[in-house]
Amino acid sequence: MPLVAFLPSVLVWAFICALVAIVAGAAAGSRTSHWKRGLVGALVGAAFGVIFLGALISVVGAVSFFLTSLLPSPLDRLSFYVTRILLNIAAAAFVGLAVGLLEVRSVPVVRRCVIVGVVFGVILSLANTVFDSIASFVLAPAFPGDGFVSVLISVVVFGLVPMIVRAAVDVALAVAAFRFVRRRWGAAPPATAAGT
């Protein structure tokens, strides 16, 4: 499969993990810049996206199939969302660990960054799942027919618009979570991008 096919998923993982890294870094209380935290999270997210699409695709399919067979009939459709939440938890844990090690390499601080990262990752995953469900329900009746113009409209309406709105919701959640975490642990404001 060409690398271009991996790009959208890798970018989504990088974006989400960058937000998780910034929020998790607020729990450390150090002066590392938001840019450095976000870059670390984006790199971890990009790597996770490549691994997920490459090596883990069969594992994810097996987990989804197992959940589908495990859940009762009305709930078996939720297996995809449960699998996505589990993947977000795993990615957020790695991001929290990376940010915690970047900050001060203290076991309590690293543990706190991992916990905050996982909790915020779950919040983002649940919010995105609810948003995707609502968007598909609202936009499904507007699905156009065949033809080039219809395909172009569907790409914009079903692809770009929901992606932009969901990104805005994710950023708003990250800002609220960052303020809460910084207030909870009294983290000092980070240095500028040229800082440590």
Side-chain angles (χ1 to χ4, degrees), residues 3-171:
L3 184 62
V4 178
F6 287 75
L7 193 58
S9 178
V10 170
L11 290 176
V12 169
W13 279 107
F15 174 73
I16 290 174
C17 288
L19 295 180
V20 171
I22 292 171
V23 173
S30 75
R31 299 187 61 82
T32 302
S33 69
H34 298 321
W35 291 107
K36 186 175 286 187
R37 293 171 181 167
L39 179 61
V40 168
L43 291 175
V44 173
F48 197 86
V50 170
I51 293 170
F52 162 65
L53 282 176
L56 293 182
I57 195 79
S58 58
V59 177
V60 171
V63 171
S64 183
F65 176 77
F66 173 74
L67 290 172
T68 301
S69 60
L70 190 66
L71 292 171
S73 181
L75 299 176
D76 57 358
R77 300 176 196 147
L78 300 177
S79 61
F80 169 76
Y81 297 113
V82 173
T83 305
R84 188 166 80 170
I85 291 171
L86 292 176
L87 286 171
N88 274 279
I89 290 172
F94 280 114
V95 170
L97 179 64
V99 170
L101 293 175
L102 172 73
E103 297 287 353
V104 290
R105 293 185 175 90
S106 165
V107 173
V109 172
V110 170
R111 187 187 308 121
R112 189 191 311 155
C113 288
V114 170
I115 292 171
V116 169
V118 167
V119 170
F120 182 63
V122 171
I123 291 171
L124 272 186
S125 183
L126 291 174
N128 289 336
T129 299
V130 171
F131 176 82
D132 290 346
S133 301
I134 294 173
S136 63
F137 178 77
V138 170
L139 296 176
F143 191 79
D146 297 329
F148 176 76
V149 175
S150 298
V151 170
L152 186 62
I153 292 173
S154 66
V155 167
V156 173
V157 172
F158 295 95
L160 293 178
V161 173
M163 184 174 61
I164 292 170
V165 173
R166 189 170 70 174
V169 170
D170 289 347
V171 169

